[in-house]
Amino acid sequence: GLGCCVLVLLLLLGGSGSPGTTPPPRAPWAEEQGPVPEGEPWGTVRYEAVKKHLRALSKQYWQYLVCKVWQEGCEEEEKQQEEREASPIPGWGFPLVGQDYLEILSAWYCSFGKCCETGDCRIINNITGLEADLSGQLHGQHLAKEVVVRALQGFLQSPRPRKALVLSFHGWSGTGKNFVARMVASHLYRDGLRSDCVRVFISLLHFPHHNYVDSYKAQLQRQISEALQRCRQVLLIFDEAEKLHSSLLDAIKPFMAQHSSKGQADQQRSIFLFLSNLGGNTINEVALDFWRAGRAREEISLELLEQRLQLELQEAAENSYAHSQLFREKLIDFVVPFLPLEYHHVKLCARDAFLARGLPYTEATLDQVAQMMVFVPKEEKLFSAQGCKSVPQRINYFLP
């Protein structure tokens, strides 16, 4: 099997490049060595030629091939590691091999074992990329950026987490809760929301009828258990969490509680994201008070909002909001507040929407998009009532 994989690898390197490109010349090692007599092993010259061109593709692939196919090359590779990094040898480039071939090679190499730090090629855990994208694409949410990055980083760096990581996103619609959830998925998993390790549940869509709660409960427990069996790290997103039936929370709680054994903690990591509109009014009141006092929204602290949110969420629990019961049972690790968006934040969202579609724009155009939105309160007209939720649709008015 290994020999076949090596043969496929060499055929890819010596074959055509990306579709639609001119076929590359014959592989250089064939010219350097000439035909090999039938039944005889490859000579030193061809060995060096293959090594020269495989290095340029990936040092990881070459190291693996050297140690598994040509045993005598292993010691030499280790001695020359620093020299190769200082003066890389030219080899095949991306235009010749083709991006599709590189993806095939990556999948092939991953099939042999732990090609990633996580030990599972579906899991990438790119916290650095997440932090960068949140800084560049999430507008007006300094608290959400800080809490999400620090919580995930600390959880993923812990060798033996005792329980699942549970984050609860709160704020008005359109302030970025779903946007951040999607971004977390795309930076923790290679396939983002389409990954086998990610599950998204929308209360009114997946659990619409209270008469079927028992059936929903069994299905939910089964889906979470199956995800944990498939992946050592799973991400579970519950949108419209305030509308979850209390029986469904009973089905989720065992997966959020502390692990019963060290073995289970070593093998499984679960991350829960609850997205809720609860607490949005309290968050907006705090932001409005700061604005009226002439203070910047960046001065709003997490401690201040948490105190105010806890009071509102406790009242919500008494009014049968099941999601709030998680706070009373201390299962929520971090409350993530999303502040209401102001006029200049909407303009930034409009800019991002134009850029995402490759459309030209001007400052006047961005102002026109922002002016189409409804702003509240009635007197100040400070916060966008829909956040940035409908901005991508608004730019359709400005298509050529």
Side-chain angles (χ1 to χ4, degrees):
L2 178 59
C4 292
C5 291
V6 174
L7 179 60
V8 171
L9 175 64
L10 296 178
L11 288 174
L12 289 175
L13 293 175
S16 300
S18 299
T21 60
T22 304
R26 189 182 181 193
W29 57 78
E31 297 176 0
E32 294 175 15
Q33 176 66 12
V36 178
E38 184 176 357
E40 292 188 14
W42 287 14
T44 304
V45 176
R46 182 166 293 191
Y47 166 84
E48 292 296 331
V50 174
K51 179 171 72 172
K52 172 182 176 181
H53 295 281
L54 284 179
R55 274 176 178 164
L57 275 179
S58 171
K59 294 176 183 177
Q60 282 184 315
Y61 295 136
W62 171 242
Q63 183 67 32
Y64 182 85
L65 288 175
V66 165
C67 295
K68 295 300 181 183
V69 181
W70 297 289
Q71 296 291 336
E72 69 276 7
C74 246
E75 183 177 351
E76 177 189 353
E77 279 297 315
E78 295 175 356
K79 291 180 180 179
Q80 297 180 356
Q81 178 68 25
E82 295 183 0
E83 297 179 5
R84 288 201 310 255
E85 294 179 353
S87 56
I89 300 175
W92 296 105
F94 275 72
L96 181 63
V97 179
Q99 184 65 32
D100 291 340
Y101 285 170
L102 291 180
E103 292 176 359
I104 293 173
L105 293 177
S106 294
W108 170 78
Y109 180 77
C110 286
S111 67
F112 284 95
K114 297 184 177 181
C115 67
C116 319
E117 293 181 0
T118 62
D120 186 335
C121 288
R122 295 169 298 182
I123 304 170
I124 55 177
N125 289 345
N126 182 12
I127 298 298
T128 302
L130 174 63
E131 185 174 13
D133 283 351
L134 287 177
S135 297
Q137 301 178 38
L138 181 65
H139 307 299
Q141 306 296 352
H142 67 285
L143 292 175
K145 293 176 186 177
E146 180 180 2
V147 175
V148 169
V149 170
R150 288 190 177 184
L152 288 172
Q153 191 171 42
F155 179 72
L156 296 176
Q157 289 178 349
S158 174
R160 292 185 178 88
R162 296 299 306 274
K163 66 179 292 293
L165 175 64
V166 185
L167 305 180
S168 189
F169 294 178
H170 296 268
W172 264 7
S173 177
T175 52
K177 300 187 299 295
N178 279 282
F179 180 76
V180 173
R182 290 194 302 270
M183 195 172 287
V184 168
S186 66
H187 284 85
L188 296 189
Y189 302 93
R190 184 187 60 193
D191 297 325
L193 291 176
R194 295 181 288 108
S195 173
D196 293 337
C197 306
V198 179
R199 285 289 177 269
V200 180
F201 303 97
I202 304 174
S203 296
L204 295 182
L205 177 64
H206 294 96
F207 319 112
H209 304 293
H210 286 185
N211 293 336
Y212 303 110
V213 166
D214 291 339
S215 177
Y216 295 151
K217 181 178 179 179
Q219 293 174 16
L220 184 57
Q221 288 178 323
R222 184 179 69 252
Q223 290 188 46
I224 296 177
S225 297
E226 290 174 353
L228 287 169
Q229 291 174 1
R230 281 193 299 268
C231 304
R232 57 183 296 177
Q233 174 185 302
V234 300
L235 175 64
L236 303 163
I237 302 172
F238 292 86
D239 197 3
E240 299 176 343
E242 72 275 7
K243 299 180 177 66
L244 279 173
H245 194 277
S246 58
S247 294
L248 295 179
L249 285 180
D250 292 337
I252 301 170
K253 288 176 186 177
F255 298 100
M256 292 189 290
Q258 290 192 356
H259 297 294
S260 57
S261 65
K262 291 185 178 180
Q264 185 182 12
D266 289 341
Q267 297 176 3
Q268 297 179 350
R269 293 176 185 264
S270 304
I271 302 171
F272 287 80
L273 302 183
F274 291 95
L275 284 55
S276 172
N277 291 334
L278 283 179
N281 292 334
T282 295
I283 295 171
N284 295 351
E285 289 173 4
V286 172
L288 184 59
D289 290 342
F290 268 68
W291 181 84
R292 287 173 174 168
R295 302 174 63 183
R297 62 192 283 134
E298 287 73 21
E299 295 181 35
I300 301 175
S301 67
L302 181 62
E303 292 75 18
L304 173 63
L305 275 178
E306 274 188 323
Q307 293 175 2
R308 299 279 295 269
L309 277 173
Q310 290 290 347
L311 295 176
E312 180 175 344
L313 295 174
Q314 287 176 4
E315 293 178 1
E318 295 174 359
N319 293 326
S320 76
Y321 282 98
H323 171 227
S324 300
Q325 297 174 14
L326 298 176
F327 292 90
R328 293 191 302 185
E329 300 184 28
K330 310 299 181 183
L331 293 176
I332 302 293
D333 296 306
F334 295 94
V335 175
V336 185
F338 284 75
L339 301 172
L341 299 182
E342 300 176 12
Y343 184 88
H344 65 283
H345 299 133
V346 176
K347 286 183 61 177
L348 291 173
C349 292
R351 181 205 63 185
D352 293 346
F354 277 108
L355 291 175
R357 297 176 63 172
L359 298 173
Y361 66 90
T362 64
E363 281 296 316
T365 305
L366 300 183
D367 278 316
Q368 286 180 287
V369 174
Q371 289 168 6
M372 297 173 68
M373 309 295 287
V374 176
F375 288 84
V376 295
K378 186 176 180 179
E379 296 77 15
E380 292 87 352
K381 293 187 177 180
L382 180 62
F383 304 133
S384 172
Q386 292 180 295
C388 285
K389 197 165 191 176
S390 62
V391 166
Q393 287 73 36
R394 303 281 180 172
I395 68 173
N396 292 330
Y397 288 95
F398 302 92
L399 295 180

